[in-house]
Amino acid sequence: MPGMRESQLLRLSALKREVTSWLQHWMDLSEYILPRRGRFFTTDRNKGDVRNKKIIDNTGTLAARALASGMMSGVTSPARPWFRLTLPDPDMADDPGVKVWLDDVQRLLLKIFASSNLYNGLHSLYDELGTFGTSCMLLLEDYEDVVRAHLLPIGSYYLGTDDRGEVDTVYREFQMQVGQVVSQFTLAKCSPEIQALYASGDQDSWIDVIHCIERNKNQKRNKQSADGMPWLSCYFEKGSGNEQYLSVKGFHEKPFMAPRWAVTGNDIYGRSPGMDALGDVKQLQDEQKHKATAIAKKVSPPMVGPGSLAKSPSNTLPGGVTYVDALQGQQGFTPAYQVNLNINELSQDIQEVQHRISRAFYEDLFLMLANSDRRQITAREVEERHEEKLLMLGPVLERLQDELLDPLIDRVFAMALRADILPEVPPQLEGIEMRVEYISIMAQAQKMIGTASVERLAGFAGNLAAANEEVLDKINFDELIDAYSDMLGTPGKLVRDEDAVQAIRDGRAQQAQMAQQAEMMGQGAQAAKVMSETDTSRDDTLLNQVMGGAF
């Protein structure tokens, strides 16, 4: 496909020009916050040199770590369910068989996530997302774990967007060893240069490779090969005379997720908390350097002495001795100047800068969510103490759902469907599109702000009912329970559907009616017994007398 390859090389050049203005900013963020992140040159791989030379105070690094851990535990925690499947039609979603199937599929997807390396990839993704504002992860099918995640370091890839502003293109340049290229793509697909290296026993030389993932604009829907897929993935050697591709594959779904923290206008790449904190992080390094210099000068000040001692043995270390001839009136060493800097004021300013960095990375919010006891904290407390912080992250969570979580779940569900490991689909769900609801700690914390109004209504009605029970007739308790359960993300099996509730109530009413009938029959039998034991002859004689006298 020489024409297609030339087109891809031209687009690669265009995408590289677009990313140029971001590179220096990302390099600064890497140097001052995440030194081991970022691959800004093709040869940036497998280097163990010291990269944190510009970091004296690691507050920024720790804050970025707290953000990544907070996003991991608050949005996609491996320890608890963070999403559930439902249907647009609430009545169909309440069907017992459908509800059980949705719960079973949810558990299966969570099991796939846990058994693969997905959660490791997500943690690294959040690490780069919070610092650089953009991250990218490939999600490929795997014969052992169903799914395999591959995080692409910032600077090693180039993104493109469609007319809707969605990322639909990933190009990247990277290096592979000769043995890796042959193992992944077969020797026959490699250029004569690689074949010669491999034949000579050289498997460790590095080869420049270009990888392109984009929409298949020439999709042929009636074909089962890569040409018939909506997404294409192409590998080829950079700069070689080999015109054939190392690999051309197709995907049914978008095989990558490229979330951005926040986007301005038509920008392709996102901005981040790390960018907001970079100035404070740099200031912090300078202040810590000045603080260390001041302490060093107070502990070991610069000294002056007479010129006669220039060639004499001298020792200014603790416990050292320098001999001076006092008879000649010569003076020994003295401090060149007095250092009287108030370290406390500088330390206080350093603490203020550290606090600003922590706030920029939302460290206080994530630590709050981690330390809060969800069994004791009330929705009212969430609303009063944390509403502002949660609202600040609201747009970020919405973007994460659109650019990361939704395509992630869709992709893994489709993989599981093709692998034929899903439970049998109920007939009523054929052709019905499912809907994903997020029930992570962050999602629930935001929803719990809404539960406060439900709790206040229920509490207010309860207080009024103490004076007048008829006020409870105004409350639809069934709908109240359903709404509250939905806000909390309660598993569907814990709340009965309307038919089951009605059946229970009908049974209870029937039992009450049968008990009432039994009680009435018992009373009738008792009355009959009393009548049978009563002597009615005197009453009849008297009655006859009265009746006879009357007539």
Side-chain angles (χ1 to χ4, degrees):
M1 303 180 184
M4 180 177 171
R5 176 169 171 168
E6 292 175 0
S7 175
Q8 289 174 332
L9 287 173
L10 289 175
R11 192 172 189 198
L12 174 62
S13 299
L15 295 177
K16 292 176 69 173
R17 288 194 299 270
E18 288 292 331
V19 81
T20 301
S21 61
W22 296 87
L23 287 178
Q24 188 56 54
H25 203 173
W26 291 341
M27 289 180 182
D28 286 347
L29 291 167
S30 177
E31 289 179 342
Y32 284 93
I33 299 178
L34 296 179
R36 284 289 165 189
R37 295 290 184 183
R39 297 291 184 268
F40 304 107
F41 302 97
T42 307
T43 56
D44 281 350
R45 36 95 183 127
N46 199 31
K47 291 186 176 180
D49 55 313
V50 178
R51 296 194 176 190
N52 58 347
K53 296 180 180 179
K54 293 189 177 182
I55 298 178
I56 300 174
D57 188 311
N58 65 350
T59 298
T61 303
L62 297 180
R65 184 187 303 170
L67 182 144
S69 300
M71 295 293 288
M72 189 70 194
S73 61
V75 179
T76 53
S77 172
R80 64 185 307 277
W82 49 271
F83 73 93
R84 68 178 180 182
L85 302 176
T86 184
L87 301 174
D89 185 355
D91 295 333
M92 183 176 293
D94 287 337
D95 181 271
V98 171
K99 186 178 295 186
V100 170
W101 185 83
L102 293 174
D103 287 344
D104 290 343
V105 173
Q106 177 204 26
R107 286 194 295 271
L108 177 62
L109 294 183
L110 290 173
K111 184 178 180 180
I112 292 174
F113 295 161
S115 63
S116 68
N117 70 331
L118 178 62
Y119 285 122
N120 291 333
L122 283 175
H123 186 273
S124 299
L125 181 145
Y126 292 134
D127 212 8
E128 296 211 349
L129 182 64
T131 301
F132 303 106
T134 304
S135 191
C136 186
M137 180 176 68
L138 302 183
L139 204 60
L140 306 179
E141 295 182 81
D142 185 79
Y143 289 107
E144 295 183 7
D145 301 326
V146 182
V147 58
R148 197 73 182 167
H150 302 269
L151 182 74
L152 306 183
I154 192 72
S156 68
Y157 56 86
Y158 317 104
L159 303 179
T161 56
D162 58 16
D163 58 321
R164 302 177 68 244
E166 297 181 358
V167 178
D168 68 342
T169 302
V170 176
Y171 277 38
R172 61 187 182 122
E173 289 183 89
F174 64 106
Q175 288 189 325
M176 298 178 66
Q177 291 178 305
V178 170
Q180 295 173 339
V181 175
V182 173
S183 175
Q184 182 171 346
F185 306 113
T186 73
L187 186 63
K189 295 290 186 68
C190 298
S191 64
E193 292 79 7
I194 293 181
Q195 293 180 5
L197 290 172
Y198 188 78
S200 66
D202 184 354
Q203 298 191 33
D204 300 312
S205 294
W206 292 94
I207 305 297
D208 291 342
V209 177
I210 296 175
H211 183 200
C212 308
I213 305 177
E214 56 193 339
R215 293 184 188 274
N216 186 0
K217 298 179 180 179
N218 300 315
Q219 180 184 3
K220 300 175 182 178
R221 300 183 182 274
N222 57 341
K223 297 188 65 174
Q224 297 298 321
S225 62
D227 292 341
M229 301 290 184
W231 295 87
L232 278 181
S233 172
C234 305
Y235 288 87
F236 57 89
E237 298 174 44
K238 179 181 178 181
S240 71
N242 185 15
E243 292 296 336
Q244 70 173 336
Y245 281 87
L246 292 171
S247 171
V248 178
K249 292 184 178 180
F251 294 98
H252 296 277
E253 311 85 27
K254 184 167 71 171
F256 63 86
M257 290 87 216
R260 296 162 294 177
W261 187 271
V263 177
T264 302
N266 294 329
D267 286 353
I268 298 175
Y269 302 93
R271 65 180 191 276
S272 66
M275 295 177 179
D276 298 334
L278 183 58
D280 284 326
V281 172
K282 289 184 176 181
Q283 177 185 347
L284 184 61
Q285 312 312 315
D286 288 338
E287 289 193 342
Q288 289 286 21
K289 188 183 299 183
H290 293 323
K291 178 183 175 182
T293 301
I295 294 174
K297 287 185 176 182
K298 293 186 72 172
V299 174
S300 180
M303 308 296 289
V304 296
S308 59
L309 295 177
K311 297 183 179 181
S312 302
S314 60
N315 190 340
T316 58
L317 296 176
V321 177
T322 300
Y323 295 96
V324 180
D325 190 353
L327 296 178
Q328 299 179 6
Q330 295 175 340
Q331 191 176 8
F333 291 105
T334 59
Y337 53 84
Q338 297 294 327
V339 179
N340 295 317
L341 178 65
N342 190 338
I343 301 296
N344 293 332
E345 294 180 356
L346 182 57
S347 298
Q348 182 178 356
D349 189 67
I350 287 175
Q351 291 178 0
E352 293 178 0
V353 176
Q354 290 173 332
H355 181 63
R356 290 202 301 268
I357 295 172
S358 296
R359 286 188 60 194
F361 280 97
Y362 302 94
E363 187 174 5
D364 53 345
L365 169 62
F366 291 117
L367 292 180
M368 173 271 297
L369 290 174
N371 296 330
S372 296
D373 189 344
R374 310 309 303 176
R375 297 169 296 178
Q376 299 178 3
I377 193 170
T378 65
R380 182 67 172 174
E381 290 174 321
V382 172
E383 182 182 36
E384 292 178 350
R385 292 162 48 193
H386 314 312
E387 181 176 6
E388 180 180 352
K389 297 176 182 178
L390 291 172
L391 289 178
M392 291 174 62
L393 272 180
V396 177
L397 296 179
E398 291 291 336
R399 181 173 290 278
L400 273 182
Q401 291 177 11
D402 292 339
E403 297 185 348
L404 173 63
L405 303 182
D406 285 348
L408 169 65
I409 295 174
D410 290 344
R411 172 86 168 136
V412 177
F413 178 84
M415 289 180 181
L417 185 63
R418 286 192 294 270
D420 197 23
I421 58 176
L422 292 178
E424 185 177 355
V425 181
Q428 58 267 44
L429 290 184
E430 291 293 341
I432 302 297
E433 184 176 354
M434 291 187 300
R435 187 163 57 92
V436 178
E437 290 185 359
Y438 295 99
I439 54 175
S440 63
I441 293 178
M442 291 292 294
Q444 287 191 34
Q446 288 189 311
K447 288 182 178 180
M448 286 186 70
I449 296 175
T451 63
S453 60
V454 178
E455 289 186 355
R456 288 198 296 269
L457 173 62
F460 181 69
N463 293 334
L464 290 181
N468 183 1
E469 294 184 357
E470 292 182 356
V471 74
L472 296 180
D473 298 336
K474 190 71 174 177
I475 305 296
N476 188 337
F477 287 99
D478 288 352
E479 290 294 333
L480 186 145
I481 292 295
D482 288 340
Y484 199 81
S485 172
D486 182 67
M487 291 179 182
L488 295 180
T490 306
K493 293 182 178 180
L494 300 184
V495 180
R496 294 188 176 96
D497 60 84
E498 295 180 2
D499 294 337
V501 172
Q502 190 60 47
I504 293 174
R505 289 173 178 171
D506 291 343
R508 187 184 297 120
Q510 185 177 2
Q511 291 177 358
Q513 184 179 4
M514 293 174 62
Q516 184 179 7
Q517 291 175 352
E519 182 179 0
M520 293 177 62
M521 292 176 63
Q523 293 176 354
Q526 182 66 25
K529 179 180 179 182
V530 172
M531 289 294 294
S532 65
E533 295 175 353
T534 302
D535 184 7
T536 60
S537 58
R538 292 181 53 197
D539 296 338
D540 293 342
T541 303
L542 180 61
L543 180 60
N544 291 332
Q545 293 177 354
V546 174
M547 295 297 292
F551 294 100

